[in-house]
């Protein structure tokens, strides 16, 4: 039995390594599509485990994209904390450079993309823990980075779009569990998340991929089982975790959603031909029923991750259209 388990883990790791190589090639091709995406301005690191997360302490990279007038000594800017996609298994913090460039042009905010640790080497909940610790690191060093800690937005794509919700939820949970000092403080910097932008999120691991796929409008356009099975085996090896609110926010208790997520400036962008389409719409409706101001946009006739296609000639114009819509939400939040 032990030998079989070891063999299965080796096979999974080999499969993941192959797809990681393919993903890197795909994003290399994607990077040639006009308009040119910006390179990151600089890179910083923090050490995991500084704020109560589990697992070994390791350096986590943060990729900064800053506006032209960036000067942390003179002014503090809003910050967009971003999480890339890839099934919690593939991808890199630099994958969303095109989105970063749009944010810089349209909002003048600082954009920080988090190189959270990937499964299967680091399964759930490591990615979520890396995310909330990244926010606390940025807030703890807000003077050095020039960040307004009361104007934080969280954005993400696919797996990262799941983190858009689960990171604020775990951050709230961590903060609530901290003891108060005699002066009433909790020993961590004050942060305020004022906007969430979530592109084609996975929101419910407790529902089978088979059901998601067969209930979609175009099952043949969905991600193949080979890929989604690899994602789930890597990130969620213990099926008991599938119902955790920090894995499946769409089935989280009402009080967690009410207290952990902002009340307004929440936007979901759901791909019509995606197996995750229905759960995105349902979650948006649930948040509305809890009193949240939510916009839910259907991106018509596109597949999951349509904006990341490995096409060096150009990207789908619907990507720029919906990126601009999302930036308007961010701009409105930062102006309040």
């Amino acid at each position: 039995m032990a030998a079989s388990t070891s063999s299965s883990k080796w096979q999974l790791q080999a499969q993941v390594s192959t797809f990681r190589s393919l993903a890197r090639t795909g994003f290399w091709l994607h990077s040639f599509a006009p308009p040119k995406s910006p390179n990151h301005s600089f890179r910083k690191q923090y050490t995991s485990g500084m704020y109560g997360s589990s697992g070994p302490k390791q350096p986590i990279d943060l990729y900064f994209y800053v506006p032209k007038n960036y000067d942390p000594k003179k002014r503090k800017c809003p910050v967009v904390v971003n999480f890339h996609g890839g099934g919690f298994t593939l991808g890199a913090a630099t994958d969303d450079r095109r989105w970063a460039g749009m944010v810089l042009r349209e909002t003048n905010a600082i954009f920080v993309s988090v190189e959270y640790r990937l499964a299967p080497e680091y399964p759930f909940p490591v990615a979520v823990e890396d995310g909330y610790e990244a926010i606390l690191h940025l807030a703890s060093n807000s003077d050095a980075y020039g960040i307004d800690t009361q104007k934080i937005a969280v954005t993400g794509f696919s797996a990262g779009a799941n983190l858009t919700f689960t990171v604020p939820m775990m951050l709230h949970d961590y903060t609530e569990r901290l003891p108060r000092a005699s002066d009433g403080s909790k020993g961590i910097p004050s942060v305020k998340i004022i906007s969430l932008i979530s592109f084609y999120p996975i929101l419910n691991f407790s529902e089978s991929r088979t059901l998601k796929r067969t209930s979609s409008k175009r099952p043949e356009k969905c991600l193949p089982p080979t890929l989604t099975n690899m994602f789930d085996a890597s990130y969620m090896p213990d099926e008991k975790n599938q119902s955790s609110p920090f894995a499946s926010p769409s089935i989280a208790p009402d009080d967690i959603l009410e207290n952990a997520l902002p009340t307004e400036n929440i936007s979901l962008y759901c791909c019509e031909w995606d197996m995750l389409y229905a759960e995105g719409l349902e979650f948006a409706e649930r948040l509305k029923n809890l009193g949240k101001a939510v916009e839910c946009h259907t991106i018509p006739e596109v597949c999951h991750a349509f904006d990341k296609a490995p096409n060096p000639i150009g990207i789908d114009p619907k990507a720029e259209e919906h990126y601009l819509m999302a930036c308007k939400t961010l701009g409105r939040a930062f102006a309040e």
Side-chain angles (χ1 to χ4, degrees), residues 48-258:
S48 65
M50 299 296 290
Y51 298 99
S53 67
S54 59
K57 292 185 177 181
Q58 292 182 320
I60 308 297
D61 289 333
L62 301 172
Y63 288 81
F64 284 71
Y65 301 77
V66 299
K68 291 181 180 179
N69 61 352
Y70 175 71
D71 187 344
K73 294 181 180 179
K74 291 184 178 180
R75 62 189 289 266
K76 291 189 174 183
C77 299
V79 63
V80 174
V81 181
N82 183 75
F83 300 100
H84 68 83
F88 301 98
T89 305
L90 313 176
T94 53
D95 290 349
D96 297 324
R97 289 185 297 162
R98 198 172 299 278
W99 167 235
M102 183 74 75
V103 170
L104 293 185
R105 290 195 300 272
E106 299 297 322
T107 74
N108 211 37
I110 298 168
F111 186 99
V112 181
S113 200
V114 181
E115 193 79 273
Y116 60 88
R117 288 171 288 180
L118 300 176
E121 297 89 342
Y122 302 98
F124 174 85
V126 172
V128 195
E129 293 175 337
D130 286 351
Y132 88 75
E133 289 201 324
I135 291 176
L136 289 176
H137 167 79
L138 293 170
S140 296
N141 296 274
S142 60
D143 288 340
Y145 294 147
I147 287 172
D148 184 343
T149 62
Q150 302 304 294
K151 291 187 176 181
I152 299 175
V154 182
T155 70
F157 297 78
S158 190
N162 171 284
L163 297 175
T164 299
F165 297 105
T166 56
V167 165
M169 290 163 62
M170 188 173 279
L171 174 60
H172 176 79
D173 178 74
Y174 171 72
T175 303
E176 288 296 297
R177 289 187 287 105
L178 288 176
R180 290 190 180 276
S182 58
D183 62 357
S185 68
K186 292 203 170 187
I188 58 172
S190 170
V191 300
K192 187 175 182 181
I193 297 173
I194 60 173
S195 181
L196 306 176
I197 307 293
S198 182
F199 289 93
Y200 39 87
I202 179 168
L203 299 164
N204 187 359
F205 277 96
S206 68
E207 183 178 84
S208 74
R209 293 281 190 171
T210 300
L211 179 60
K212 294 176 193 286
R213 191 173 284 107
T214 56
S215 62
S216 68
K217 291 187 175 183
R218 295 286 299 274
E220 76 280 7
K221 296 286 187 179
C222 295
L223 295 179
T226 300
L227 202 57
T228 56
N229 291 344
M230 181 188 74
F231 290 159
D232 296 346
S234 298
Y235 186 59
M236 201 63 60
D238 187 346
E239 293 183 358
K240 294 194 298 293
N241 289 325
Q242 291 176 347
S243 298
S244 167
F246 307 123
S248 299
S250 68
I251 57 173
D254 285 352
D255 62 310
I256 295 180
L257 299 177
E258 288 174 338

Side-chain angles (χ1 to χ4, degrees), residues 307-326:
D307 56 323
K308 302 297 195 298
N311 181 357
I313 298 175
I315 64 168
D316 191 317
K318 293 174 184 173
E320 182 172 0
E321 174 190 350
H322 289 87
Y323 282 9
L324 281 170
M325 291 170 63

